[in-house]
């Protein structure tokens, strides 16, 4: 879609400062919701012993994903370059259909809305939605 | 025919019975117009939509947001035949309003986020799944009469 404006980046960084310390909870909740609300996403985790949203594997994965998102915030000025390795991972090894990035992004936004009802204003929402879309695009960069 | 579990029926009934339509409706529509600005194309006569503050304070947006939620109410009261309940509304959105059906999903995502903020931790993954399933059926029914 579009590139992030300076205003977008500021909004993302400002909001992310508030998230600090809660990343693990947010990540695990987002992945749990993804598995519960979009059961088709479970197809990527058939190697897990326990596919329930509250399983240790799901929790661990939520933390992993969130570390990636936090990393992306720090590399917001060059997502394509900064997320190159992650993109190669998703393209050649994981081969996650990019439609699923949208799904996880939505779940992440729902969690942010629950945890920060007053800070997750429409203005913060649009900046974060654009940011997550840009991250998804960077992640799909190496797909073809 | 959509199959609803007891949990899903109870969850939908519960969410809507406690909802303040005049708060949630305007908030969801305003959020949609702000986060997905191209949706403003359908509201050319709504006056000032120039920025987030204007949209959030616009009385026509508020009124229409409430109208939309009352429309959703019809589905809540007819969960076993949402398709038939929305035949006329689907024709209206297609023939008269010319709304791209992809927009229904955008509004539905914004509504989910607003309801999540309202319900807080009560909006669990299971509740979210039920709510989004309901909205998906609504969205599908609204798009059904397009040709």
């Amino acid at each position: 879609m579009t590139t992030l404006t300076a205003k977008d980046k500021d909004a993302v960084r400002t909001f992310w400062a508030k998230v600090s310390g809660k990343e693990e909870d947010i990540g695990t909740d987002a992945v749990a919701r993804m598995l519960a609300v979009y059961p088709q996403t479970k197809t990527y985790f058939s190697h897990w012993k326990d596919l329930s949203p509250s399983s240790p594997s799901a929790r661990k994965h939520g933390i992993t994903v969130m570390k990636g998102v936090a990393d992306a915030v720090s590399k917001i000025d060059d997502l394509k370059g900064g997320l190159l390795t992650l993109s190669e991972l998703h393209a050649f090894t994981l081969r996650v259909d990019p439609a699923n990035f949208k799904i996880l992004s939505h779940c992440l936004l729902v969690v942010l809305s629950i945890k920060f009802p007053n800070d997750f204003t429409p203005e913060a929402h649009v900046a974060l939605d654009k940011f997550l879309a840009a991250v998804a695009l960077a992640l799909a960069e190496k797909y073809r | 025919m959509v199959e609803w579990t007891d949990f899903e029926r109870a969850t939908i009934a519960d969410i809507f019975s406690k909802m303040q339509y005049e708060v949630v409706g305007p908030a969801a529509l305003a959020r949609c117009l702000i986060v997905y600005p191209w949706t403003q194309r359908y509201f050319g006569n709504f006056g000032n939509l120039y920025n987030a503050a204007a949209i959030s304070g616009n009385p026509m947006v508020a009124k229409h947001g409430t109208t939309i939620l009352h429309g959703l109410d019809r589905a809540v009261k007819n969960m076993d035949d949402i398709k038939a309940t929305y035949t006329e509304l689907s024709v209206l959105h297609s023939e008269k309003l010319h709304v791209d059906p992809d927009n229904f999903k955008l509004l539905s995502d914004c509504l989910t986020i607003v309801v999540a903020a309202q319900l807080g931790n009560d909006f669990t993954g299971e509740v979210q799944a039920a709510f989004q399933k309901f909205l998906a059926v609504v969205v599908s029914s609204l798009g059904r009469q397009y040709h």
Side-chain angles (χ1 to χ4, degrees):
Chain A
M1 277 207 174
T2 48
T3 40
L4 299 172
T5 63
K7 185 168 164 238
D8 292 327
K9 293 181 193 176
D10 275 338
V12 171
R13 280 188 281 243
T14 306
F15 189 89
W16 209 257
K18 300 190 167 93
V19 159
S20 179
K22 299 193 172 75
E23 288 96 338
E24 283 200 4
D25 281 342
I26 292 171
T28 52
D29 196 358
V31 166
R33 271 168 204 279
M34 181 188 77
L35 298 168
V37 181
Y38 304 94
Q40 70 269 25
T41 55
K42 292 195 281 194
T43 55
Y44 289 96
F45 306 107
S46 50
H47 56 284
W48 286 354
K49 240 187 323 190
D50 182 359
L51 276 163
S52 64
S54 53
S55 69
S57 310
R59 288 192 57 84
K60 183 163 170 277
H61 195 61
I63 294 169
T64 304
V65 164
M66 207 56 183
K67 284 205 168 93
V69 176
D71 190 39
V73 175
S74 72
K75 294 173 171 151
I76 202 169
D77 287 314
D78 179 21
L79 287 172
K80 285 216 174 90
L83 299 181
L84 207 61
T85 323
L86 268 178
S87 179
E88 284 170 353
L89 176 74
H90 284 77
F92 305 127
T93 311
L94 304 177
R95 287 183 280 207
V96 175
D97 188 314
N100 294 287
F101 299 150
K102 236 174 169 267
I103 287 176
L104 183 55
S105 295
H106 171 69
C107 291
L108 209 46
L109 294 176
V110 168
V111 174
L112 295 179
S113 179
I114 290 172
K115 289 192 152 36
F116 306 97
N118 297 317
D119 293 307
F120 194 63
T121 59
E123 292 91 328
H125 181 167
V126 62
L128 282 158
D129 194 50
K130 282 179 78 175
F131 167 67
L132 290 173
V135 170
L137 216 55
L139 277 179
E141 179 71 14
K142 290 275 159 209
Y143 271 54
R144 55 178 174 174
Chain B
M1 247 283 278
V2 182
E3 302 274 338
W4 301 102
T5 63
D6 289 340
F7 172 79
E8 285 164 350
R9 283 182 199 277
T11 299
I12 298 305
D14 189 53
I15 291 177
F16 281 87
S17 72
K18 297 190 173 112
M19 198 189 287
Q20 291 169 278
Y21 287 24
E22 353 60 71
V23 170
V24 172
L29 181 58
R31 202 168 271 259
C32 187
L33 296 172
I34 293 165
V35 179
Y36 309 108
W38 53 94
T39 56
Q40 291 169 27
R41 73 189 306 284
Y42 302 108
F43 303 104
N45 63 331
F46 269 32
N48 188 355
L49 298 177
Y50 298 135
N51 53 46
I55 292 170
S56 299
N58 186 310
M60 288 181 83
V61 170
K63 182 158 174 277
H64 194 62
T66 310
T67 301
I68 291 173
L69 270 216
H70 283 293
L72 266 183
D73 205 49
R74 279 197 245 176
V76 176
K77 297 189 160 61
N78 290 287
M79 278 178 75
D80 286 313
D81 202 0
I82 295 177
K83 210 162 60 182
T85 307
Y86 277 157
T87 306
E88 270 179 45
L89 267 176
S90 179
V91 171
L92 174 80
H93 282 77
S94 162
E95 306 292 299
K96 187 151 175 286
L97 305 176
H98 306 293
V99 177
D100 181 341
D102 281 350
N103 290 283
F104 302 147
K105 179 146 198 313
L106 298 179
L107 179 58
S108 139
D109 282 349
C110 286
L111 185 56
T112 301
I113 279 170
V114 169
V115 168
Q118 294 264 312
L119 298 182
N121 290 320
D122 286 344
F123 198 64
T124 62
E126 290 80 14
V127 168
Q128 184 182 342
F131 191 66
Q132 291 201 206
K133 177 178 169 180
F134 171 74
L135 289 180
V137 174
V138 166
V139 163
S140 165
S141 305
L142 271 180
R144 240 178 147 262
Q145 302 305 321
Y146 279 63
H147 64 94

